[in-house]
């Protein structure tokens, strides 16, 4: 499996919602093939193995992902939940989740596609009904639409991750200051 999914949001439901990147601009889809969905489930750590996805599973997952994103956005903005998004997430959460098993070598969680998706939906339900709601923030990079949990001291974190958006924004601000300084010196 290809290990290039990113998990920086602080909750599997937030990371799942972030698999459609740059929603306001370029819209970069991470689930372009069924094996990319399989990889996300395993790389996220919610399961250790998952039955191979079909295109229908990708469609179901992206429907749940978009509903999760709408609910996260509503909660973050203090708006009412969308009824359709609630129904989609609750329907997914109502199904049996992935169940960990104890083996001789430790914990192992094998899941079907629906069990893995149910596990993600349950993470969304717990997050959006729990004490971490005030910590929800959208990345300060105008091109990024990741929502993350700000657990920094004083809740002053501005971007989803320093390695991605933070460095890019800081470097751009530095270059802009340098250009302004050079223009003023001339």
């Amino acid at each position: 499996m290809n290990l290039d999914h990113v998990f920086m949001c602080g909750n599997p439901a937030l990371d799942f919602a972030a698999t459609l990147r740059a929603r306001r601009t370029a819209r970069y889809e991470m689930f372009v093939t069924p094996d990319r969905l399989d990889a996300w489930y395993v790389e996220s750590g919610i399961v250790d193995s998952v039955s191979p996805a079909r295109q229908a599973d990708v469609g179901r997952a992206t429907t749940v992902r978009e509903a999760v994103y709408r609910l996260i956005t509503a909660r973050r903005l203090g708006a009412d939940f969308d009824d359709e998004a609630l129904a989609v997430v609750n329907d997914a959460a109502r199904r049996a989740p992935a169940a960990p098993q104890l083996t001789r070598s430790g914990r192992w969680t094998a899941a079907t596609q629906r069990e893995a998706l149910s596990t993600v939906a349950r993470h969304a339900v717990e997050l959006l009904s729990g004490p971490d709601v005030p910590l929800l923030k959208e990345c300060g990079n105008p091109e990024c639409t990741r929502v993350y949990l700000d657990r920094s001291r004083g809740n002053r974190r501005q971007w989803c991750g320093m390695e991605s958006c933070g460095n890019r924004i800081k470097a751009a601000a530095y270059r802009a200051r340098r250009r302004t300084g050079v223009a003023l010196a001339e």
Side-chain angles (χ1 to χ4, degrees):
M1 288 194 184
N2 199 356
L3 296 172
D4 64 356
H5 288 288
V6 178
F7 303 94
M8 61 178 55
C9 299
N11 181 287
L14 296 175
D15 289 319
F16 194 70
T19 60
L20 178 60
R21 304 221 176 115
R23 290 170 179 271
R24 289 187 284 272
T25 55
R27 296 181 67 88
Y28 180 74
E29 175 63 65
M30 296 299 293
F31 297 152
V32 292
T33 58
D35 67 312
R36 299 299 299 133
L37 177 61
D38 296 344
W40 189 91
Y41 286 136
V42 172
E43 291 171 29
S44 72
I46 65 165
V47 299
D48 297 299
S49 69
V50 64
S51 60
R54 296 184 313 264
Q55 202 56 48
D57 298 311
V58 174
R60 200 171 8 265
T62 56
T63 297
V64 170
R65 177 194 64 201
E66 293 310 298
V68 167
Y69 183 78
R70 287 197 315 269
L71 296 174
I72 288 166
T73 301
R75 181 59 81 211
R76 186 176 57 77
L77 299 175
D80 289 336
F81 284 143
D82 174 78
D83 288 336
E84 182 183 336
L86 275 175
V88 166
V89 170
N90 285 334
D91 182 55
R94 201 174 287 118
R95 298 179 184 278
Q101 301 292 301
L102 185 60
T103 68
R104 285 181 169 39
S105 58
R107 176 190 159 276
W108 184 262
T109 304
T112 66
Q113 288 290 319
R114 289 199 187 234
E115 290 169 339
L117 188 58
S118 174
T119 301
V120 171
R122 288 169 180 237
H123 277 286
V125 168
E126 292 302 316
L127 172 66
L128 296 172
S129 63
D132 287 341
V133 168
L135 305 178
L136 291 171
K137 273 188 167 176
E138 187 177 62
C139 182
N141 178 350
E143 293 178 17
C144 182
T145 54
R146 283 188 191 113
V147 175
Y148 61 92
L149 290 174
D150 182 3
R151 296 187 188 284
S152 66
R153 190 176 338 148
N155 298 92
R156 293 200 292 243
R157 187 169 151 195
Q158 296 178 32
W159 10 80
C160 59
M162 197 59 194
E163 310 77 38
S164 56
C165 294
N167 282 339
R168 229 175 280 143
I169 297 295
K170 285 185 168 196
Y174 174 76
R175 286 191 302 275
R177 284 192 308 274
R178 294 274 308 187
R179 277 195 301 273
T180 303
V182 169
L184 293 174
E186 292 176 353

